[in-house]
Amino acid sequence: MKWSHDSQWLISSDHEGVIKYWQPNLNNLKAFQGHKYPVRDLSPSDLKFVSASDDHQLKIWDFRRLKEDMQLSGHNWDVRTVDWHPHLGMIASGSRDKTIRVWDPRSTKCLATIKNHGDMVTQVQWNQNGRWLLSSGRDCCIKLFDVRKLNEEVTTFVTKRQVHSIAWHPVHETMFASGGSLVDKNKMQSEGSIEFWVTDSTRPKACVEGAHESQIWSMDWHPTGHILATSSNDKTTKLWCRPRPGEHLPTELGGLDVDERIFSDPVNHDAAEQMASHGKEAKPAISAELKSSTAKNAAQQSPLSNEPKTSSAADDTHRPPTSSTSLQSANVGRVLAKLKQDGMQCLPGLSRPLNLPGLNSLQRPPPPPPRQTGPMRNGQRPRSHSRFNPMQRSPPPPPPPGLPPSGFR
C-alpha cells in the first residue's frame, strides 16, 4: 500500500490482483481488478500511479478515471518492485529476472537495463534528491546508482543477509535502512534484522538483530524521520524509534561489558571498580587535609579562645562539607540554605566570614507608610473603596484640579 503525494488517497493491492482506493479515515471508495496475478508493488505520482504484478507487466493508471493508460512490457519474469521518480518522468522497476529497468511513462520505452544483481531484485527506490537509485536483492547486496550513469553502480553495500526491503531516510538523504534475514544450510530463512547505512561507508552503522521472527517484507519512515515502521512474514508490524539520550545500541558499544542506563553514558564495570577502589584510598588523605585546614582557620578566627574541643556526634552536623564540587554543581539557593541550616558563617576554605544575603542577618523590610486620606470636601471625607458595595454604582472620579467641586454653582 502507498499514499498519494498529496496524502489524500491510500492505494492498496492484494494477492488476487485487486486494487483499492481508501480515504485517510480508511473509508473504501473503490475497488477494481487491476491484474490477473498478484500485485507486488504500487507507486503513485500526482495524477497517476503504476502497478507491478507477477504477469511480467507494469500498468499505469489514471487516478480519477480509474482506467488503464498504458502497459510497460519487457521483464522476463515476475515484477517485484516499482518506484516513480519524485521529480522526473521516470519509472524504475525490479524483477525476478535479476534486472532493473528504467522506463519513460510517456513513450513506454525502456531507457536503461541494469544487470548488476546476481539474484532476484527485491526493491528499488529513488532518493528524494532525484539523483540516486537504490536497489536490493537476494544476493546479499545493496547497490547505489547515479541517474546520470546507470550502467555502473556508485557503491555496493555487502551484507551477510538477504535484503528484502530498503527505505531512504526522509530528512538525512545519505542515510537508509534495510531489512534482511539469514539463510541457513537448508536454505531456510530465519529471523529478520534491521540495518542502518550511510552512503559514505560500506559497513552498517548499526544493526537490530532479531527485530522480527521472519523476513521483513516492507519498511517505511515517518515523514519527520523519528519512527521506522516494519512489517514481517511473522504477521506483525512494529514501530521503531531512535535511541533516547544516553541509550546505545549493542553494536555501538563494541561488545564491552556495559550497563545501559537511561539518560547516562554506558559504564564499564571494570573501570567503575577501579575508580571506586582509587576513591577509597584517596579519601582518608583528602579528609585529613581538610580537617587540618579547618582547624587552622578556626584558630585564626578565635585566637583568644583556649577551650579544648571535644569530638562528638553533634559536631559532625556543623562540620563543613568535605567536597567543594557540591558548591560548583548545585543550585546557589540550595547551597545557601544548607549553609544556613548548618549554622556556618563562612564558606569552606575562607577565614573571614562573609555577609551573604539571607545567611547572617535577616532584616525585615520597613513597614509601608500609612494610607493618606484625601482633603475634606463639602464637610465630608471621600469614601474608601474598601467599604464600597460592589452592587452599587462605582463612585464618580474626583474633579481635575482647577475646577470647582461637584454641587457648586
Side-chain angles (χ1 to χ4, degrees):
M1 60 177 62
K2 294 291 181 64
W3 286 97
S4 61
H5 286 185
D6 56 2
S7 301
Q8 298 297 322
W9 301 96
L10 177 65
I11 315 169
S12 65
S13 59
D14 57 15
H15 199 73
E16 304 296 331
V18 178
I19 301 175
K20 295 183 179 181
Y21 281 10
W22 305 82
Q23 287 180 329
N25 59 357
L26 299 183
N27 180 27
N28 183 217
L29 295 180
K30 187 69 176 179
F32 61 95
Q33 188 72 34
H35 294 265
K36 296 181 179 179
Y37 292 89
V39 179
R40 298 297 182 179
D41 200 3
L42 299 168
S43 182
S45 65
D46 295 332
L47 301 176
K48 300 180 181 182
F49 69 94
V50 58
S51 60
S53 175
D54 287 351
D55 56 5
H56 311 176
Q57 292 182 348
L58 294 97
K59 293 184 179 181
I60 300 178
W61 305 84
D62 188 274
F63 260 119
R64 299 184 180 276
R65 296 186 293 117
L66 300 178
K67 291 184 179 181
E68 176 185 340
D69 281 355
M70 56 191 71
Q71 293 185 5
L72 304 178
S73 302
H75 283 290
N76 300 323
W77 212 345
D78 304 345
V79 185
R80 309 292 292 187
T81 176
V82 65
D83 193 25
W84 205 306
H85 195 279
H87 313 301
L88 304 177
M90 299 172 62
I91 297 176
S93 62
S95 173
R96 203 168 183 177
D97 59 3
K98 309 177 186 179
T99 63
I100 301 172
R101 293 178 181 267
V102 180
W103 309 84
D104 184 356
R106 293 162 292 189
S107 61
T108 69
K109 292 183 179 181
C110 180
L111 302 178
T113 302
I114 306 172
K115 301 180 180 180
N116 292 34
H117 280 279
D119 205 336
M120 180 182 71
V121 180
T122 55
Q123 191 170 359
V124 293
Q125 190 176 34
W126 295 100
N127 192 292
Q128 291 297 324
N129 58 22
R131 294 182 285 107
W132 293 342
L133 175 64
L134 195 67
S135 65
S136 61
R138 286 190 176 179
D139 55 355
C140 303
C141 291
I142 303 174
K143 296 182 180 294
L144 179 65
F145 300 92
D146 195 320
V147 68
R148 295 165 292 186
K149 193 175 182 181
L150 292 173
N151 56 351
E152 297 180 2
E153 65 266 17
V154 178
T155 309
T156 300
F157 309 91
V158 181
T159 178
K160 59 182 179 180
R161 298 173 175 85
Q162 290 186 355
V163 185
H164 303 281
S165 58
I166 51 177
W168 284 105
H169 196 276
V171 179
H172 307 286
E173 65 175 14
T174 61
M175 174 184 173
F176 64 92
S178 65
S181 60
L182 296 173
V183 180
D184 55 11
K185 297 180 180 179
N186 299 326
K187 296 185 178 180
M188 296 296 294
Q189 295 180 352
S190 58
E191 51 83 23
S193 302
I194 305 174
E195 292 180 322
F196 300 91
W197 307 78
V198 180
T199 55
D200 59 356
S201 176
T202 57
R203 293 184 179 182
K205 294 297 182 180
C207 177
V208 182
E209 297 183 356
H212 286 272
E213 297 179 0
S214 186
Q215 306 98 312
I216 300 177
W217 290 123
S218 63
M219 59 173 52
D220 198 6
W221 290 93
H222 188 274
T224 58
H226 69 291
I227 296 178
L228 176 66
T230 59
S231 61
S232 171
N233 195 34
D234 59 3
K235 302 178 181 180
T236 61
T237 300
K238 296 183 179 181
L239 301 177
W240 306 85
C241 64
R242 57 190 177 189
R244 292 177 290 182
E247 291 184 335
H248 299 271
L249 295 176
T251 54
E252 296 178 339
L253 302 174
L256 299 177
D257 185 12
V258 296
D259 181 17
E260 293 185 7
R261 300 180 180 180
I262 299 177
F263 301 111
S264 63
D265 295 331
V267 180
N268 190 325
H269 291 294
D270 298 336
E273 292 178 359
Q274 294 178 4
M275 293 178 63
S277 61
H278 179 70
K280 291 180 180 178
E281 296 175 357
K283 185 175 181 180
I286 296 175
S287 60
E289 183 179 355
L290 288 175
K291 287 181 180 179
S292 61
S293 62
T294 306
K296 186 181 296 184
N297 293 335
Q300 294 177 0
Q301 293 177 8
S302 57
L304 301 178
S305 177
N306 298 324
E307 298 180 359
K309 295 185 179 181
T310 59
S311 60
S312 60
D315 296 339
D316 296 338
T317 58
H318 301 281
R319 187 172 299 169
T322 59
S323 176
S324 61
T325 57
S326 60
L327 297 177
Q328 299 176 1
S329 60
N331 191 347
V332 178
R334 295 182 181 178
V335 174
L336 295 179
K338 181 63 176 177
L339 295 177
K340 180 181 177 182
Q341 181 180 1
D342 295 342
M344 295 181 57
Q345 300 298 328
C346 64
L347 296 176
L350 298 179
S351 59
R352 297 182 180 179
L354 297 178
N355 294 326
L356 299 178
L359 180 62
N360 297 330
S361 60
L362 294 177
Q363 298 181 1
R364 295 184 178 181
R371 185 174 181 180
Q372 299 179 0
T373 58
M376 297 287 291
R377 185 179 291 115
N378 295 336
Q380 296 181 357
R381 293 185 180 276
R383 296 181 180 180
S384 176
H385 292 281
S386 59
R387 299 179 182 179
F388 176 68
N389 188 358
M391 300 301 295
Q392 298 178 359
R393 182 180 298 178
S394 60
L403 295 179
S406 60
F408 179 81
R409 296 182 179 178

Short mmCIF file of all heavy atoms in Angstrom, two decimals, residues 58-96:
data_model
loop_
_atom_site.label_atom_id
_atom_site.label_comp_id
_atom_site.label_asym_id
_atom_site.label_seq_id
_atom_site.Cartn_x
_atom_site.Cartn_y
_atom_site.Cartn_z
N LEU A 58 3.93 -3.97 -16.12
CA LEU A 58 3.61 -2.81 -15.30
C LEU A 58 2.51 -2.04 -15.99
O LEU A 58 2.52 -1.86 -17.21
CB LEU A 58 4.83 -1.90 -15.12
CG LEU A 58 6.01 -2.47 -14.32
CD1 LEU A 58 7.06 -3.03 -15.28
CD2 LEU A 58 6.63 -1.39 -13.44
N LYS A 59 1.54 -1.56 -15.22
CA LYS A 59 0.42 -0.82 -15.77
C LYS A 59 0.34 0.56 -15.11
O LYS A 59 0.51 0.68 -13.89
CB LYS A 59 -0.90 -1.57 -15.55
CG LYS A 59 -0.99 -2.87 -16.32
CD LYS A 59 -2.35 -3.52 -16.13
CE LYS A 59 -2.47 -4.81 -16.94
NZ LYS A 59 -3.80 -5.44 -16.80
N ILE A 60 0.09 1.56 -15.94
CA ILE A 60 -0.07 2.93 -15.48
C ILE A 60 -1.56 3.26 -15.49
O ILE A 60 -2.24 3.09 -16.51
CB ILE A 60 0.72 3.91 -16.36
CG1 ILE A 60 2.22 3.57 -16.30
CG2 ILE A 60 0.51 5.35 -15.90
CD1 ILE A 60 3.08 4.45 -17.19
N TRP A 61 -2.06 3.75 -14.36
CA TRP A 61 -3.49 4.02 -14.18
C TRP A 61 -3.71 5.50 -13.93
O TRP A 61 -2.85 6.20 -13.40
CB TRP A 61 -4.04 3.22 -13.00
CG TRP A 61 -3.81 1.74 -13.08
CD1 TRP A 61 -2.69 1.06 -12.71
CD2 TRP A 61 -4.72 0.77 -13.58
NE1 TRP A 61 -2.84 -0.27 -12.94
CE2 TRP A 61 -4.07 -0.49 -13.47
CE3 TRP A 61 -6.00 0.81 -14.12
CZ2 TRP A 61 -4.68 -1.68 -13.87
CZ3 TRP A 61 -6.60 -0.37 -14.51
CH2 TRP A 61 -5.95 -1.59 -14.39
N ASP A 62 -4.92 5.96 -14.31
CA ASP A 62 -5.33 7.32 -14.03
C ASP A 62 -6.11 7.34 -12.72
O ASP A 62 -7.00 6.52 -12.50
CB ASP A 62 -6.20 7.89 -15.16
CG ASP A 62 -6.49 9.36 -14.98
OD1 ASP A 62 -7.47 9.69 -14.29
OD2 ASP A 62 -5.74 10.18 -15.54
N PHE A 63 -5.80 8.29 -11.87
CA PHE A 63 -6.43 8.33 -10.54
C PHE A 63 -7.94 8.55 -10.65
O PHE A 63 -8.73 7.84 -10.02
CB PHE A 63 -5.81 9.46 -9.71
CG PHE A 63 -4.79 8.98 -8.72
CD1 PHE A 63 -3.49 9.42 -8.80
CD2 PHE A 63 -5.13 8.10 -7.71
CE1 PHE A 63 -2.53 8.98 -7.90
CE2 PHE A 63 -4.19 7.65 -6.80
CZ PHE A 63 -2.88 8.10 -6.89
N ARG A 64 -8.37 9.51 -11.43
CA ARG A 64 -9.76 9.91 -11.43
C ARG A 64 -10.62 9.01 -12.31
O ARG A 64 -11.72 8.62 -11.92
CB ARG A 64 -9.88 11.37 -11.90
CG ARG A 64 -9.14 12.36 -11.01
CD ARG A 64 -9.37 13.80 -11.45
NE ARG A 64 -8.66 14.74 -10.60
CZ ARG A 64 -9.12 15.20 -9.45
NH1 ARG A 64 -10.32 14.83 -9.02
NH2 ARG A 64 -8.41 16.06 -8.74
N ARG A 65 -10.12 8.65 -13.46
CA ARG A 65 -10.92 7.85 -14.39
C ARG A 65 -10.88 6.35 -14.09
O ARG A 65 -11.69 5.60 -14.63
CB ARG A 65 -10.45 8.11 -15.83
CG ARG A 65 -10.66 9.56 -16.28
CD ARG A 65 -10.33 9.75 -17.75
NE ARG A 65 -8.89 9.57 -18.02
CZ ARG A 65 -8.41 8.62 -18.80
NH1 ARG A 65 -9.22 7.74 -19.37
NH2 ARG A 65 -7.11 8.52 -19.00
N LEU A 66 -9.91 5.92 -13.25
CA LEU A 66 -9.78 4.51 -12.90
C LEU A 66 -9.64 3.64 -14.16
O LEU A 66 -10.20 2.55 -14.25
CB LEU A 66 -10.98 4.03 -12.07
CG LEU A 66 -11.20 4.74 -10.73
CD1 LEU A 66 -12.44 4.19 -10.06
CD2 LEU A 66 -10.00 4.60 -9.85
N LYS A 67 -8.90 4.15 -15.11
CA LYS A 67 -8.69 3.42 -16.36
C LYS A 67 -7.20 3.23 -16.61
O LYS A 67 -6.38 4.03 -16.17
CB LYS A 67 -9.33 4.17 -17.54
CG LYS A 67 -10.85 4.20 -17.50
CD LYS A 67 -11.41 4.87 -18.75
CE LYS A 67 -12.92 4.88 -18.74
NZ LYS A 67 -13.49 5.52 -19.96
N GLU A 68 -6.90 2.19 -17.31
CA GLU A 68 -5.52 1.89 -17.65
C GLU A 68 -5.07 2.77 -18.80
O GLU A 68 -5.67 2.78 -19.87
CB GLU A 68 -5.38 0.41 -18.02
CG GLU A 68 -4.00 0.01 -18.47
CD GLU A 68 -3.95 -1.43 -18.95
OE1 GLU A 68 -4.86 -2.22 -18.59
OE2 GLU A 68 -3.02 -1.76 -19.72
N ASP A 69 -3.97 3.49 -18.60
CA ASP A 69 -3.44 4.36 -19.65
C ASP A 69 -2.52 3.60 -20.59
O ASP A 69 -2.63 3.73 -21.82
CB ASP A 69 -2.69 5.54 -19.03
CG ASP A 69 -3.65 6.61 -18.55
OD1 ASP A 69 -4.87 6.46 -18.79
OD2 ASP A 69 -3.19 7.59 -17.93
N MET A 70 -1.59 2.83 -20.05
CA MET A 70 -0.61 2.11 -20.89
C MET A 70 0.02 0.99 -20.09
O MET A 70 -0.11 0.92 -18.86
CB MET A 70 0.46 3.08 -21.40
CG MET A 70 1.19 3.82 -20.30
SD MET A 70 2.21 5.17 -20.94
CE MET A 70 0.92 6.32 -21.45
N GLN A 71 0.71 0.11 -20.81
CA GLN A 71 1.43 -1.00 -20.22
C GLN A 71 2.92 -0.89 -20.54
O GLN A 71 3.29 -0.40 -21.61
CB GLN A 71 0.90 -2.34 -20.74
CG GLN A 71 -0.52 -2.68 -20.30
CD GLN A 71 -0.93 -4.07 -20.75
OE1 GLN A 71 -0.13 -4.81 -21.30
NE2 GLN A 71 -2.18 -4.40 -20.51
N LEU A 72 3.73 -1.36 -19.60
CA LEU A 72 5.18 -1.38 -19.80
C LEU A 72 5.61 -2.84 -19.77
O LEU A 72 5.57 -3.51 -18.73
CB LEU A 72 5.88 -0.59 -18.68
CG LEU A 72 5.43 0.87 -18.50
CD1 LEU A 72 6.17 1.52 -17.34
CD2 LEU A 72 5.64 1.67 -19.78
N SER A 73 6.02 -3.34 -20.89
CA SER A 73 6.40 -4.75 -21.04
C SER A 73 7.87 -4.84 -21.39
O SER A 73 8.39 -4.03 -22.17
CB SER A 73 5.56 -5.43 -22.13
OG SER A 73 4.18 -5.33 -21.83
N GLY A 74 8.56 -5.84 -20.84
CA GLY A 74 9.97 -6.01 -21.11
C GLY A 74 10.64 -6.98 -20.15
O GLY A 74 11.66 -7.59 -20.50
N HIS A 75 10.10 -7.15 -18.96
CA HIS A 75 10.67 -8.09 -18.00
C HIS A 75 10.31 -9.52 -18.41
O HIS A 75 9.21 -9.78 -18.94
CB HIS A 75 10.15 -7.79 -16.59
CG HIS A 75 10.82 -6.61 -15.95
ND1 HIS A 75 12.14 -6.62 -15.53
CD2 HIS A 75 10.33 -5.37 -15.66
CE1 HIS A 75 12.44 -5.44 -14.99
NE2 HIS A 75 11.36 -4.66 -15.07
N ASN A 76 11.21 -10.43 -18.10
CA ASN A 76 11.00 -11.83 -18.46
C ASN A 76 10.48 -12.69 -17.31
O ASN A 76 10.31 -13.90 -17.48
CB ASN A 76 12.32 -12.43 -18.97
CG ASN A 76 12.85 -11.71 -20.19
OD1 ASN A 76 12.08 -11.27 -21.05
ND2 ASN A 76 14.17 -11.56 -20.27
N TRP A 77 10.25 -12.07 -16.16
CA TRP A 77 9.75 -12.82 -15.02
C TRP A 77 8.91 -11.88 -14.16
O TRP A 77 8.56 -10.79 -14.59
CB TRP A 77 10.91 -13.43 -14.23
CG TRP A 77 10.59 -14.76 -13.57
CD1 TRP A 77 9.36 -15.29 -13.37
CD2 TRP A 77 11.52 -15.70 -13.06
NE1 TRP A 77 9.45 -16.51 -12.76
CE2 TRP A 77 10.77 -16.79 -12.56
CE3 TRP A 77 12.90 -15.76 -12.97
CZ2 TRP A 77 11.36 -17.91 -11.96
CZ3 TRP A 77 13.50 -16.87 -12.39
CH2 TRP A 77 12.74 -17.93 -11.89
N ASP A 78 8.56 -12.35 -12.96
CA ASP A 78 7.69 -11.55 -12.08
C ASP A 78 8.34 -10.21 -11.77
O ASP A 78 9.53 -10.13 -11.43
CB ASP A 78 7.43 -12.29 -10.77
CG ASP A 78 6.83 -13.67 -11.00
OD1 ASP A 78 6.36 -13.92 -12.12
OD2 ASP A 78 6.84 -14.50 -10.06
N VAL A 79 7.53 -9.14 -11.84
CA VAL A 79 7.98 -7.80 -11.46
C VAL A 79 7.68 -7.62 -9.98
O VAL A 79 6.52 -7.58 -9.57
CB VAL A 79 7.30 -6.72 -12.31
CG1 VAL A 79 7.89 -5.35 -11.98
CG2 VAL A 79 7.44 -7.01 -13.79
N ARG A 80 8.73 -7.50 -9.17
CA ARG A 80 8.57 -7.48 -7.72
C ARG A 80 8.48 -6.08 -7.13
O ARG A 80 7.89 -5.91 -6.06
CB ARG A 80 9.76 -8.21 -7.08
CG ARG A 80 10.05 -9.58 -7.65
CD ARG A 80 8.96 -10.58 -7.33
NE ARG A 80 8.92 -10.89 -5.91
CZ ARG A 80 8.16 -11.83 -5.38
NH1 ARG A 80 7.36 -12.54 -6.16
NH2 ARG A 80 8.17 -12.07 -4.08
N THR A 81 9.03 -5.08 -7.78
CA THR A 81 9.07 -3.74 -7.19
C THR A 81 9.04 -2.68 -8.27
O THR A 81 9.47 -2.92 -9.41
CB THR A 81 10.34 -3.58 -6.32
OG1 THR A 81 10.40 -2.24 -5.82
CG2 THR A 81 11.59 -3.87 -7.13
N VAL A 82 8.53 -1.50 -7.93
CA VAL A 82 8.44 -0.38 -8.85
C VAL A 82 8.46 0.91 -8.04
O VAL A 82 7.96 0.94 -6.90
CB VAL A 82 7.17 -0.46 -9.73
CG1 VAL A 82 5.91 -0.33 -8.88
CG2 VAL A 82 7.20 0.60 -10.82
N ASP A 83 9.05 1.96 -8.61
CA ASP A 83 9.09 3.26 -7.93
C ASP A 83 9.12 4.36 -8.98
O ASP A 83 9.91 4.31 -9.92
CB ASP A 83 10.31 3.36 -7.01
CG ASP A 83 10.23 4.54 -6.08
OD1 ASP A 83 9.10 4.99 -5.79
OD2 ASP A 83 11.28 5.04 -5.63
N TRP A 84 8.23 5.36 -8.80
CA TRP A 84 8.14 6.51 -9.70
C TRP A 84 9.10 7.58 -9.21
O TRP A 84 9.18 7.86 -8.01
CB TRP A 84 6.71 7.06 -9.72
CG TRP A 84 6.35 7.81 -10.97
CD1 TRP A 84 7.02 8.85 -11.50
CD2 TRP A 84 5.23 7.57 -11.82
NE1 TRP A 84 6.41 9.30 -12.64
CE2 TRP A 84 5.29 8.53 -12.86
CE3 TRP A 84 4.19 6.66 -11.81
CZ2 TRP A 84 4.33 8.59 -13.87
CZ3 TRP A 84 3.24 6.72 -12.82
CH2 TRP A 84 3.31 7.67 -13.84
N HIS A 85 9.82 8.20 -10.15
CA HIS A 85 10.78 9.25 -9.80
C HIS A 85 10.05 10.41 -9.13
O HIS A 85 8.96 10.79 -9.56
CB HIS A 85 11.51 9.73 -11.05
CG HIS A 85 12.74 10.53 -10.76
ND1 HIS A 85 12.70 11.87 -10.43
CD2 HIS A 85 14.06 10.18 -10.75
CE1 HIS A 85 13.93 12.31 -10.23
NE2 HIS A 85 14.77 11.30 -10.43
N PRO A 86 10.61 10.99 -8.06
CA PRO A 86 9.88 12.05 -7.35
C PRO A 86 9.74 13.34 -8.13
O PRO A 86 8.82 14.13 -7.83
CB PRO A 86 10.74 12.27 -6.08
CG PRO A 86 12.10 11.79 -6.44
CD PRO A 86 11.88 10.66 -7.41
N HIS A 87 10.60 13.60 -9.15
CA HIS A 87 10.55 14.87 -9.87
C HIS A 87 10.44 14.70 -11.38
O HIS A 87 9.84 15.57 -12.04
CB HIS A 87 11.79 15.72 -9.55
CG HIS A 87 12.12 15.80 -8.09
ND1 HIS A 87 11.24 16.31 -7.16
CD2 HIS A 87 13.23 15.41 -7.40
CE1 HIS A 87 11.80 16.25 -5.96
NE2 HIS A 87 13.00 15.70 -6.07
N LEU A 88 10.98 13.64 -11.92
CA LEU A 88 11.05 13.47 -13.37
C LEU A 88 10.09 12.38 -13.83
O LEU A 88 9.57 11.60 -13.02
CB LEU A 88 12.48 13.11 -13.79
CG LEU A 88 13.58 14.10 -13.38
CD1 LEU A 88 14.94 13.57 -13.80
CD2 LEU A 88 13.32 15.47 -13.97
N GLY A 89 9.86 12.35 -15.13
CA GLY A 89 9.01 11.31 -15.73
C GLY A 89 9.81 10.04 -15.96
O GLY A 89 10.06 9.67 -17.13
N MET A 90 10.17 9.34 -14.89
CA MET A 90 10.94 8.11 -14.98
C MET A 90 10.39 7.11 -13.97
O MET A 90 9.98 7.49 -12.87
CB MET A 90 12.44 8.36 -14.71
CG MET A 90 13.10 9.31 -15.68
SD MET A 90 14.79 9.75 -15.18
CE MET A 90 15.56 8.14 -15.23
N ILE A 91 10.38 5.84 -14.37
CA ILE A 91 9.90 4.76 -13.52
C ILE A 91 10.98 3.69 -13.48
O ILE A 91 11.49 3.27 -14.52
CB ILE A 91 8.57 4.16 -14.04
CG1 ILE A 91 7.47 5.22 -14.01
CG2 ILE A 91 8.16 2.95 -13.22
CD1 ILE A 91 6.16 4.73 -14.61
N ALA A 92 11.35 3.25 -12.27
CA ALA A 92 12.32 2.17 -12.09
C ALA A 92 11.58 0.94 -11.58
O ALA A 92 10.72 1.03 -10.71
CB ALA A 92 13.41 2.58 -11.10
N SER A 93 11.93 -0.21 -12.12
CA SER A 93 11.29 -1.47 -11.74
C SER A 93 12.36 -2.56 -11.59
O SER A 93 13.39 -2.54 -12.27
CB SER A 93 10.25 -1.90 -12.78
OG SER A 93 10.87 -2.13 -14.04
N GLY A 94 12.11 -3.49 -10.67
CA GLY A 94 12.99 -4.62 -10.45
C GLY A 94 12.21 -5.92 -10.56
O GLY A 94 11.06 -6.01 -10.14
N SER A 95 12.86 -6.93 -11.13
CA SER A 95 12.17 -8.17 -11.43
C SER A 95 12.93 -9.37 -10.87
O SER A 95 14.08 -9.26 -10.41
CB SER A 95 12.00 -8.32 -12.95
OG SER A 95 11.47 -9.58 -13.29
N ARG A 96 12.26 -10.50 -10.98
CA ARG A 96 12.86 -11.76 -10.58
C ARG A 96 13.88 -12.25 -11.60
O ARG A 96 14.62 -13.20 -11.34
CB ARG A 96 11.76 -12.80 -10.38
CG ARG A 96 12.14 -13.94 -9.47
CD ARG A 96 10.94 -14.75 -9.10
NE ARG A 96 11.29 -15.81 -8.15
CZ ARG A 96 10.40 -16.65 -7.60
NH1 ARG A 96 9.10 -16.53 -7.91
NH2 ARG A 96 10.80 -17.58 -6.76
#
